[in-house]
Amino acid sequence: MKHLSLIILSIFIVGCSQRQSHNELLTKSEQIVFEHPDSVVRMLSPHYNDTTMSEADRALYGLLYTEAIHRSGLSVESDSLIQFSRAYYEQQDDKEHLARTLLHHAIILYKQQQAHEAVLTMKRAEQLAEDLDLPAFEWYLYSVLGDINDNVGNYSQTFRYYKLALDAARQQDNASWMVQTLNNIAMTYDGLGQLDSLKYYIDQAKPYYEKTDGEIRATYLINRASYLLKKGNTQQAKECLMESMQTAPTDRCEKLLADIYVQEGDTAAAVQQWYKLTNSFNPDVAIASYRLLIECLNHFGDKVNAAEYSFRLNEVYQNLYEQNDVAGIIDLQTQYDEQQKERRQYRITIFLLSAIILLIIAALIIIRYSRHRIDLLNARFAESQQQYNLTRSELTQMRRQKEREQRENSRQMKDIVSRLHTTANKGRAADDDDINALAQLSYANSPKLRELLTELNAKEQTVCLLTVHSFLPTEIAALTISTPQAVTNTRVRLLKKLFQQTGGAKDFDMAIKRVAFGRR
């Protein structure tokens, strides 16, 4: 009996110690998550799969971990962790934690291209934030809302939210947040071509930018360089851009450097920058680089590559169309704000009705009118949601059609490769139709491979294509009416010719496959 009592007491002590450990960790994390999110990510990551947490600890863990990830500039793919936190805080009616949870759930939904649900969730977080005194949270909330409206070109709302974020940053007296927000406002005015406003917000950030580092400092220097460049002060602009590149290289900085190279007459350097920037994650930079590159290629008479990059530019536009429902997002925010306005009016009306008995008839008319307006807004929202669902269905059909085409190409490729293996095993030369079909499908799957092999003759291209698809030297020799040694010599020679490298045939095999399959 004594031993049993000791065992029970030990279990109780261990349980209390574990809970205390969780509480201390989460409490410390919550104290620093706004200012030092990177540290919070490192603190919480080892406990991701900890199953000993209580519901309350698990909910707070999900919020703090997701919040720290987002504030560190990273993203979360799954929303299962934050959904648990959201359900818990809705049940507990904890407005502060619920508002933060809604914001970060909305960010994940937006990344998952559930734009309508994300905006509604974010607007609900904004509504809850009105009753809270949390400048650090409000700064991030309004910054995200400003970014979303900037992405869809709703600039009146963009500036409204960025200025609210700036007020919150000033309340918090955080220099980095102030400069980051001022950078956002300046960039938006830069995109709109309003140089006076651009200069005004650059000057606003100037007293604080020395206290910043990394991307925030680099972005300030880019904004300043953009202004100087538009004013014709190319040398100072270039100095700012070079300093920015040393601080934190960005695609926007490289784009402006390319513009300077054009002014300096260094077209080759500019073209090199444009080629690299066509892969930028910033759609504006990528599109501008594609356009300038296509214009340059047409100017030099390279119609083939100009057509190829025009095709890629169309793909960028298509991806933007699939990812952004611009009109829907703008309309959804407008409707939500109008609904909230109507609901506030309705509550005020009810309050006045209880105090002004003599005006009951007029109040009833107002109520009926308000309800009618709300019904109209709800009907309009339902219609917009139906249109959104229809558009989403059409996009899904397009995606499935594309997947079917890719499967068909894959099947054709397997058939051709199989026939060529059989032909090689029989010691016969490859049929021209099979080689042409192999080339067409390979180039369709890898435009970079087509570009690399353009200058080679037919036999060299055949050796490259068969090598990409892992044919043995003896098989390649049979298919190209050569000897294995000649095939090996060709591969060694092509390694030098295509990649400016020296080495063996296997080095060539690895290099050509990296190009064909996009490997590093």
Side-chain angles (χ1 to χ4, degrees), residues 53-91:
M53 293 186 190
S54 65
E55 283 191 358
D57 286 345
R58 192 64 186 172
L60 183 56
Y61 177 91
L63 168 59
L64 294 176
Y65 183 76
T66 307
E67 192 169 35
I69 287 285
H70 287 159
R71 283 178 173 264
S72 299
L74 306 174
S75 60
V76 180
E77 297 293 333
S78 172
D79 62 349
S80 57
L81 195 63
I82 200 69
Q83 272 189 330
F84 178 85
S85 303
R86 176 175 177 175
Y88 179 82
Y89 290 126
E90 282 181 335
Q91 182 182 15

Side-chain angles (χ1 to χ4, degrees), residues 5-131:
S5 300
L6 288 174
I7 291 172
I8 294 173
L9 180 60
S10 299
I11 293 173
F12 177 78
I13 292 173
V14 170
C16 290
S17 299
Q18 183 68 20
R19 176 62 183 271
Q20 181 64 26
S21 176
H22 289 157
N23 285 340
E24 290 176 357
L25 175 67
L26 296 174
T27 299
K28 184 177 180 181
S29 297
E30 188 161 25
Q31 290 172 348
I32 65 173
V33 68
F34 294 147
E35 300 284 349
H36 306 287
D38 294 339
S39 300
V40 173
V41 173
R42 289 193 295 269
M43 291 166 58
L44 297 183
S45 293
H47 302 274
Y48 188 88
N49 295 316
D50 190 346
T51 58
T52 64
M53 293 186 190
S54 65
E55 283 191 358
D57 286 345
R58 192 64 186 172
L60 183 56
Y61 177 91
L63 168 59
L64 294 176
Y65 183 76
T66 307
E67 192 169 35
I69 287 285
H70 287 159
R71 283 178 173 264
S72 299
L74 306 174
S75 60
V76 180
E77 297 293 333
S78 172
D79 62 349
S80 57
L81 195 63
I82 200 69
Q83 272 189 330
F84 178 85
S85 303
R86 176 175 177 175
Y88 179 82
Y89 290 126
E90 282 181 335
Q91 182 182 15
Q92 298 296 319
D93 195 25
D94 185 338
K95 292 184 178 180
E96 176 184 335
H97 289 96
L98 178 59
R100 291 160 58 188
T101 302
L102 289 171
L103 170 60
H104 293 283
H105 190 199
I107 293 172
I108 297 175
L109 291 172
Y110 193 78
K111 292 284 186 182
Q112 294 174 346
Q113 298 183 19
Q114 301 182 47
H116 281 230
E117 182 64 26
V119 172
L120 285 175
T121 304
M122 210 169 292
K123 294 294 287 184
R124 187 180 168 200
E126 180 189 11
Q127 182 184 358
L128 289 174
E130 293 175 358
D131 299 326

Side-chain angles (χ1 to χ4, degrees), residues 261-262 265-272 274 296 300:
Y261 292 148
V262 171
D266 192 353
T267 306
V271 168
Q272 185 178 6
W274 293 334
C296 184
F300 287 107

Side-chain angles (χ1 to χ4, degrees), residues 143-166:
S143 295
V144 172
L145 282 166
D147 291 343
I148 289 175
N149 282 280
D150 188 26
N151 290 339
V152 300
N154 190 11
Y155 296 117
S156 61
Q157 289 289 75
T158 299
F159 291 124
R160 183 173 79 86
Y161 282 121
Y162 279 158
K163 288 175 182 178
L164 287 172
L166 183 59

Side-chain angles (χ1 to χ4, degrees), residues 24 43-44 56-57 73 101 110-111 113 177 198 241 261 265 272 301 310 325 338 399 411 429 471 497 506 518-519:
E24 290 176 357
M43 291 166 58
L44 297 183
D57 286 345
T101 302
Y110 193 78
K111 292 284 186 182
Q113 298 183 19
W177 295 356
L198 168 61
L241 292 174
Y261 292 148
Q272 185 178 6
S310 295
D325 180 6
E338 289 180 359
R399 177 177 56 79
R411 184 190 63 77
F471 280 77
K497 182 176 182 179
K506 290 185 178 180
R519 299 172 183 165

Side-chain angles (χ1 to χ4, degrees), residues 94 98 112 225 262 286 308 311 321 375 466 469 497 504 520:
D94 185 338
L98 178 59
Q112 294 174 346
V262 171
E308 174 64 23
F311 175 77
Y321 172 76
D375 290 340
L466 293 173
H469 293 283
K497 182 176 182 179
R520 292 186 177 181

